[in-house]
Structure formats: C-alpha cells, structure tokens
Amino acid sequence: MSVDLVARLDYKLRAKRESFDKISVVDIAPLLDGSNKQAVAKQIRWALSNTGFMYVKNHGHSPRSSSIQCSM
C-alpha cells in the first residue's frame, strides 16, 4: 500500500472524539439473535472509540458461570 493510501485510510477510520459523562451500556442481544447487528456494531464502535470501554449486557453468561470459570 502506498503511504498516501495508508494516510487516507487512517484519517477515515479515526473516530470522532466526543465527551461522555457515563459508561456506555451495550445490549448485545440483537447482535446474538441477528435482529440488529449493525446498530450494536455502531454502539460498540462509539463506546470503544470514545471511552475505551463499555458495559455489555444480555451476553448470555450468568455471573455464576463467570465466577466458576475464573476459579478454575
């Protein structure tokens, strides 16, 4: 790839920084059931581009199963 193409891609892929006052909560149920993958993808991109983290809900794992996996 040319340097110019890489620079243009870098600019296009750079997320617009926005301020935030709360942690983003992303419901991934529509992603898992296929009903609205695009909307979930946009929420994930915004959260990770602007805050660097997110809270994921409706992921299908109970807190108990997570604690069992961590204790192994």
Side-chain angles (χ1 to χ4, degrees), residues 15-28:
K16 178 182 169 195
R17 298 285 179 195
E18 297 183 29
S19 64
F20 69 97
D21 59 351
K22 61 183 178 178
I23 296 172
S24 296
V25 177
V26 179
D27 181 357
I28 64 166

Side-chain angles (χ1 to χ4, degrees), residues 35-65:
S35 65
N36 202 349
K37 294 179 183 181
Q38 185 104 15
V40 176
K42 285 181 181 181
Q43 291 175 11
I44 291 171
R45 180 167 192 242
W46 188 94
L48 297 180
S49 297
N50 291 287
T51 64
F53 53 90
M54 64 186 172
Y55 176 85
V56 177
K57 71 177 192 174
N58 294 323
H59 47 70
H61 293 280
S62 69
R64 173 136 171 81
S65 70

Side-chain angles (χ1 to χ4, degrees), residues 2 30 52:
S2 71

